[in-house]
Amino acid sequence: MSDTIVPVTTKKDWTSDQEVRWCPGCGDYGILLAVQQLMPELGIAPENTVFISGIGCSSRFPYYMNTYGMHGIHGRAPAIATGLAVARPDLDVWVITGDGDGLSIGGNHLIHALRRNVNLTILLFNNRIYGLTKGQYSPTSEIGKVTKSTPFGSVDPPFNPLSVALGAEASFVARTHDLDRKHMMDIFRQAHAHRGSSFVEIFQNCNVFNDGAFDDVTSRQVREEMMIDLRDGQPIRFGAGGHKGVVMGTDGQLRIVEVADVGEDAILVHDAHRDDPGLAFALARLSHDDHSATTFGVFRDVDRPDYGMAVGRQLAETSSKKGPGDLATLLRSNGTWAVV
Amino acid sequence: MTDTVERSAGREPETITRVVVRFAGDSGDGMQLTGDRFTSVSAAFGNDLSTLPEYPAEIRAPAGTVNGVSSFQVQISDHDITTPGDAPSVLIAMNPAALKADLNRLEPHGLLIVNSDAFTERDLAKAGYASNPLADESLAGYRVVEVPMTSLTQKATEPLGVKPRDAERSKNFFALGLVSWLYSRPTEPTLEWISTRFKDDLVRVSNATAFTAGFNFGETTEQFEHRFVVLPAKLPPGEYTNISGNVALAWGLVAAGQLAKLPIFLGSYPITPASDILHELSKHKHFGVRTVQAEDEIAAVGMALGAAFAGHLGVTTTSGPGVALKSETTSLAVSLELPLLIIDVQRGGPSTGLPTKTEAADLNIAIYGRHGEAPLPVIAAYSPANCFDAAIEAARIALKYRTPVILLSDGYIANGSEPWLLPDVASLPDISVPFATEMNHTNDDGTTEFWPYLRDPETLARPWAIPGTPHLMHRVGGLEKEDGRGDINYTPENHQRMVDLRAAKIAGIAYDIPPAVAVGDVDDADVCILGWGSTWAAIDAAVQRTRRRGLKVAWVHLTHVNPLPPNLGEVLKKYPRVIVPELNLGQMCRIVRANYLIDAKAVTKVQGLPFTARELEDAIEGALQ
Ligand code: SF4
């Protein structure tokens, strides 16, 4: 646990001996590979790393990492991880959750972990379906979705996970997808480097119950024209040769335009470190469906006090003021009398 | 401290052995504070005592109504007592509503001191009186002393420049002064307390003046025939403090952390009557206590469990509704086999029930309230001071056996207080357990592995390897685990084995706790009382009284309610009759009937109040008929 020695590890050191049991072709495999491949680059030790999950297909993830891990209960991973991270700010704590786990049954814990800014790297696998329970609609399923529990189509309006995170005051918010390992690794690296809560939504394909949910945006053939990859400090452009861009109209609305029509200077420049989350919120909601150009990358990356550190600081300050606790003194603190 | 007694030597106080005083007024009248002060002074004077605060669930119930009445009952005595007394011998009623709410508690011919200023038409109407009870015959059975406390307080504080409206707020100190005179309490400690407690100059002098005015009123008025003194009790020698159950429990947790050499992590969500434990623990950060006020009950226990995985002593504090919400996580803790303390300060249920009143009806949910076969140890504290020891014992078992433990307290002992002979800190037990640091399994080829579910053969506890420990990385989870290795395993034989092992681990704790011991007429009792939790005080008083009258009574009191002491059945079977007093509908009684096939009879009460000694005397007599 020394600060001076950077642990040298390989992907193998991070891979457990457990057989991976997701359905063949599931997007989860790509995410697992990206994480396992990234870990050696982070200069951290497996013994100082903990993966905490809830329940759902994605929540099997900790079993496959050769770190400390806990497969928890449905929705509660952010709460369990909060206890862990506040107790031990020296640890690297990751939370693996899904759209049902994190946004439905565990929504309350997720927003409060983000509000507190607990030092957690939260990866939310969004496949817009309940996979483990075999195909019911989720809080990110689109209206009209026909599933086992909605034979006539869902009438529930969905959440945008990034809007939820930004609304909960998250200090780091990003989106990536399971088909681009390099992109995932880049986003995970930044999420890990951020002190406080990092929230990453990963578009993840469930090829059994919701196959192709993100194909219109993330498949190799359309990606160039449909993915708007935000780069900090760069004009927001996409499409072949960057011919399209994002501008803000005089009405405050963001719009996608042809760069040639408005001129390069009119294109919005992305600033993830902007204190006000308004623009990040608008960017996260630029697309209203799965068939139009969608934003990816880091939407927000700002400094806020890390909760576990703040709790620890109060302990240290009280100790330095009062000295270490003395039990005999405590028991006498409300006044005593002697019986002889 | 005898100053005040000597000053009023003109009227020699009559020595009495005990008195039960009840202060009753509107929620805004400061009755809890008044009762608390009277208690502290009596404690410092050397009396034994026991208190029963009662207050409404509403923060500000409509002023002057019966629903808004807040009371504080205290028994002070020159001998060892355990209960706050059945019926008060003196009732101080600050308004008609207080009289209406509490008059039926006062003993026949008891002393009734009323604030006559408050008996206006409006206040009488608010309390639901059609006619003024001070003017008709309805109080004929009591010795009534009418004192215009409000106007006397206003008159006394007027020279200080206190406005009449503000002076009204000091009238509880007038009442305290008067009762202090009546029972010959020293005045200095209260005056000193007032001088440090109130920051506002005018409020401070107003309260001090009202207190002194009340005391002097007693001395000059002819309305009281007698003045009394309750001499110090002959308690075992040593250093004492007056302690409530919630504070004792919080201190017990601090002590448990010290004795286990572990930092404490409390995850808690505010709930009556447990919140004071969160408040108290939040003050003691220099003992390495981390407290997080969680977003809900579920998160509170989740955080504590996460901290336990990290190597802290994880604790969550709550009441019945919270125990229900924490049930799923508690089951996970059973499956993970990690130490965890769940503290349930019981209150009247079901649902929101009687949040500020006591009950002990969570025994079933504590022992059984989880899904699957999920046994865990349950401990019940029996008195305010005992909460300290109970917290340490709960932590000892949780750590040694790597199991969640539920510790039951209740509203009565949580808010009640008693003198506590301070323990010698050096004599408290070492409850520390080692973390795993080494591989614990050798394969046939000589390579070594860490098996997170390889058990200690004696305790059946699994190793506790915390993150940060090199080489021992492992995954735990709610899915069934392979015996030993801890990998996910769904095979029939393995599940049977793991369920059996978890049950055997908890059952085995029975041999690591004190055996059941009967007291009283151990050899020839006609009836044995089996008690658990806070019924202790009333049982103690009832057993003493009935035995003094020649009845043959034995008594067994349990603090470990799951698993039960292994000899309990054998002990109970010695007696022809067994009765089980409980503040529920007979939950423990059913357990002992089922476990030992004995014809135990439940004595039950669910009124939001503890048993009185009288009720249990009647129950003992009833059992013998
Ligand atoms: S059900 Fe869907 S999400 Fe779950 S493992 Fe199979 S493909 Fe993946």
Side-chain angles (χ1 to χ4, degrees), chain A residues 22-23 26 57 127 131 204 206-209:
Chain A
W22 289 308
C23 307
C26 176
C57 293
N127 55 17
Q204 175 246 322
C206 168
N207 56 306
V208 173
F209 295 107

Side-chain angles (χ1 to χ4, degrees), chain A residues 83-152:
Chain A
L84 186 76
V86 172
R88 296 279 304 278
D90 59 306
L91 299 173
D92 236 293
V93 186
W94 299 65
V95 170
I96 306 294
T97 183
D99 42 320
D101 189 63
L103 295 170
S104 194
I105 193 166
N108 199 30
H109 309 306
L110 180 68
I111 59 174
H112 286 280
L114 296 174
R115 168 179 70 85
R116 292 191 178 96
N117 205 33
V118 185
N119 191 31
L120 304 172
T121 307
I122 303 171
L123 308 184
L124 184 140
F125 295 22
N126 182 9
N127 55 17
R128 301 205 166 146
I129 198 77
Y130 281 81
L132 194 67
T133 49
K134 301 200 165 82
Q136 300 82 13
Y137 75 108
S138 90
T140 58
S141 297
E142 63 280 11
I143 290 185
K145 180 139 207 112
V146 174
T147 70
K148 281 183 188 151
S149 57
T150 51
F152 304 108

